Amino acid sequence: MAKSLIEELPRIVSEGRREAQQILERLSSGTQIGLQTNELVLPSKDVSGLFKGSSPQIPNAFNNAVGGGNWMNRLIYGDNLLAIQALLAGDASTGLPSLRGKVDLIYIDPPFDSKADYRTKINLPGTDIQQKPTVIEQFAYADTWEQGTISYLRMMYPRLVLMKELLSDRGSIYVHIDWHVGPYLKIILDDIFTKDMMLNEIIWCYSSMCKSKNNWNRKHDNIYVYTKTSNWTFNSNNVLESYAEGYEEKFKYKDDKGYYMIRGKGGHMSPIHSQGDLTPEHEKKYPEWTYRQYLQGGGLPKDWWEIPFINSQAKERINYATQKPEALLERIIKASSNEGDLVCDFFGGSGTTAAVAERLGRRWITCDIGKPASLVMRKRFIDQEVKPFLYQSIGDYQKEAFRNNKKLKHVGDLSQVVLGLYGALPFSPEQCNDRNFGYIKGGRTLVMVDSPNRLTTAATVKRAVEAKASLLGGGWEKVVVLGWNFAFDISQAISQYKDSNVEVLVIPPDLLDKLAKKGFKKLIDDRSVRFSSLQYLVVKPVTITRQPEGDEIDVELDNYVLLSPDNIPLDDKDKEKLQDVMQRDPLSLIEYWSIDPDYDGVTFRSTWQDYRENTDNDSDPLHCIYKTRLKVEHKPQRKVCVKAVDVFGFESQVVMDA
C-alpha cells in the first residue's frame, strides 16, 4: 500500500537536505553555473530616439555593488534552482560577487499544487469585417506534479535551503501559498529555518466572484514569514494604517510630544485597572497607575490583510493569470527592507515584486522559467521606465538542467525520451548505434535529436540531410531535426536546404522541468509537449543618412515567419485563427522588438524598444510599429542588431552591416 504524505515527509526532508548539500559542495569546490546576458535593457518608450541615459559597460565595477555601488538589476529566465546557484557562485562575466548572505528580502509566490494548467489570453488584430480582436489562448504554466504533493515538496525543499543561504542576517522570506499545500510547506519551512524563526502567518483576504454553492468560498491566501536570525529588519512606521473613524477623537489632550489619551495600567492592585479615556484628575490622583498613550501616524496592520484583488479595469493589470496587487508587495517591501536593500523573487510571474521594489528604491533580482512570464516582465519594466537592467539566462541552461536530472544519466537516454515524445521510434542497436536517431512508424521520416550540450548549427542540418540520403541505405523522404539551442546561422541553413525536405523544430525549453513534474508517461498521455518550428525575422536593408550632427539609421521590419502553428499548444479553433493572422499580417505576431545600433557581437544593448500596448509610439495597442529612425553618433562602420520576441515568447535575432 502506498505511503501517505505524512509518512513520506521524512524521506522528502532527507532527500532535499542531501540535494541541497551536494549543490553547496559543488559550489564550494569551484563548480559554477554562469549567467548569460541576453540583453542589457536600456528602457526607451519614445519612438523619437534612443535611451537617453548613460549606458553601463559590461563588465564593469560591480564588485562594489552589494555595498551600494554600481549595481544593475536582473531579470533571469530559467529554472530558479540553477539561477540561485549562479547567484551564490557569483557572476564573473558582469563582475557580480557571490550573493551569499547579501539578500535582504525574498518574496516568492510559487505554484500552489493546484492540479491545474494555467493559460493566458493573446489578443491579435481581428480577421473579420468588424475588425474585432482575435483572441487565442496559450498554455502559460503547469501546476501538476508526477507524484502530486510529494513531487511538489521535493521541488521546493532544496530551493528553500538555497534561498536561506542567500539571505542576510537581517533578512526575511515571505512564502505566499494557499490551502492546497500550505500546512505541509510550513513543516518544511520549520525544518529549514527552525520554528523559532517563524515571524508570523499573514492571511491575505480578498473578494472576487463567488462560485461555490456547496462549500465555503475560499477567499484568502496564506503568507508564511520567516527570518534568518533574531535581528531582522521590520519598519513598523512605514506600514501604518489610518485609524478607524472616531478613534483620533479619543486623544483629547496635548503636550510637547503631541496629542494623547490617559490610560490606566493593569494589575490586580490597580484601583483603575486598564481603563481608557481617563482624565487629568485620574493622572494626578493615581500617577503610578496611569500613563499617556500618544497619537501615532496610524495603527500597525493586523496579520490579516484586506487588500483587494486586481479588478479588470485596474491600471496596473496586465495579461497574467496569477498577478498579485502592488499594494500587497508594497506593504511587504516597506516593512521588511530599506532603500537600497536587495529584494529577490524567484517565481517572478508578472513581475510585481520587482516593479514595486524599483518604485520604492530597492535593488532587485527576479526569475521565472516561463517564456510568457519573462516577456510580460520585460515589457512591464520598460513601461515603468525602470533603470537599466540585465535580461539574463542560465549559461548552458539545458546542459545544467540535464545534469541535475535524477532519472536521465546519459544524453542518449534523453534523446530516446525526446524521440518518444515527438512520436518517433528509436532504431535498434543492430540498425543504428547512434541513439540520437529515430523514425516515424509507417512512414519514411527520419528524426534526429541534437544534444542539449551544444548549439544546433548549419553543420548539424547538413549532417541530418546527409543521414537522410545514407542511413540504412537512404531513401528517406523527410528528415526532422529537433534542437535545444540554435546558432545564428541556422536560418540560413534552413533556407539553403529547403528543397531537401528538412524541418528544424525547437524542443520545448522547459521539457526537463515538465519531465520532473509529470513524468514521461503522463506527458505522453496528455500530449502536452509541442515541438515548435524555428521562427525567424526578416528585416529590410538598413539605410544610413549622414547628417552634420551624426547619422540617421532607418530600420524597418519586413516579415516574420512562424512556420508551424500545429506545433504550438493551441486548441484547433485557435490554430485556425492563428493561421489566418499569419497569412494576413505576420508582423502582428511580434510582441516586442528592440535595436542595438552599435552591436559589438557580445552584448546586445537594447537602446530602443517597441512592444504591443506601448501607446507612446502609436495609438494601436495590438501592433508594434514596424519602422523607426534612430539618431546616433557618426561611425564609419557599424553592425545593427535587431531582436524580436513573438506573442508565444520565441526570440529571433538579425545582425546586419551598416
Side-chain angles (χ1 to χ4, degrees), residues 633-654:
E633 65 180 24
H634 173 69
K635 289 187 74 173
Q637 290 184 325
R638 67 173 73 237
K639 289 186 182 292
V640 177
C641 187
V642 180
K643 180 181 288 190
V645 187
D646 68 25
V647 295
F648 303 106
F650 299 120
E651 296 191 6
S652 303
Q653 189 166 308
V654 178

Side-chain angles (χ1 to χ4, degrees), residues 390-402:
L390 297 177
Y391 175 54
Q392 299 184 299
S393 61
I394 309 300
D396 296 326
Y397 172 71
Q398 306 297 350
K399 180 180 179 180
E400 295 295 339
F402 173 65

